[in-house]
Amino acid sequence: TTGAAGRYVFVPELFTDLYAIYSSGDTRSRADIVDSLIQTPILVLDDLGKEKASDHAASVLFEIIDGRYRYQNAGRSLIVTSNLPIESLCARFADDTGEPIARRLAEMCVSVPMKRGTA
């Protein structure tokens, strides 16, 4: 069998890295970073919902998730972890981005709720 390349992204750290690029004059751009996350065969977005809710965060997340959505039939997989249910996660953003993010995640992902054990 052959493996596929992937990327693990701790979502709050993604935004820390983006802000550092904006302020440092780094040669990479937001578009470069977003495109690399769209193009990787397997993407893990860890702790979605721990980032600061802002228009910027909503826009970046929408670009990534929408890009993955458009290429999902090209063998690209998306794994998302969050402590929030999808409705709460997307309610943190304005309707014009939160609702489309929720719709795309609902269509692309299988929700696996985890509950604290009683043992």
Side-chain angles (χ1 to χ4, degrees):
T1 63
T2 60
R7 296 267 314 266
Y8 166 88
V9 177
F10 180 58
V11 175
E13 202 169 86
L14 167 65
F15 290 99
T16 300
D17 293 346
L18 282 171
Y19 288 124
I21 287 170
Y22 300 153
S23 64
S24 71
D26 192 309
T27 58
R28 295 178 301 161
S29 69
R30 168 182 160 164
D32 293 335
I33 291 171
V34 167
D35 189 56
S36 74
L37 296 176
I38 291 170
Q39 298 301 325
T40 192
I42 301 169
L43 176 63
V44 177
L45 294 177
D46 186 28
D47 261 339
L48 188 61
K50 287 217 172 191
E51 73 286 343
K52 180 181 177 186
S54 67
D55 289 342
H56 176 258
S59 176
V60 170
L61 290 171
F62 177 77
E63 287 178 48
I64 294 167
I65 292 166
D66 183 63
R68 302 293 300 186
Y69 179 79
R70 287 182 282 120
Y71 290 108
Q72 66 184 324
N73 292 330
R76 296 190 178 112
S77 300
L78 175 64
I79 300 167
V80 178
T81 71
S82 179
N83 289 327
L84 300 172
I86 195 166
E87 300 81 20
S88 299
L89 179 70
C90 295
R92 300 168 61 242
F93 302 120
D95 287 346
D96 63 335
T97 50
E99 288 180 19
I101 289 171
R103 280 194 309 272
R104 282 159 179 77
L105 287 175
E107 289 183 34
M108 288 191 305
C109 300
V110 174
S111 179
V112 182
M114 305 293 286
K115 296 186 179 180
R116 190 177 295 211
T118 57

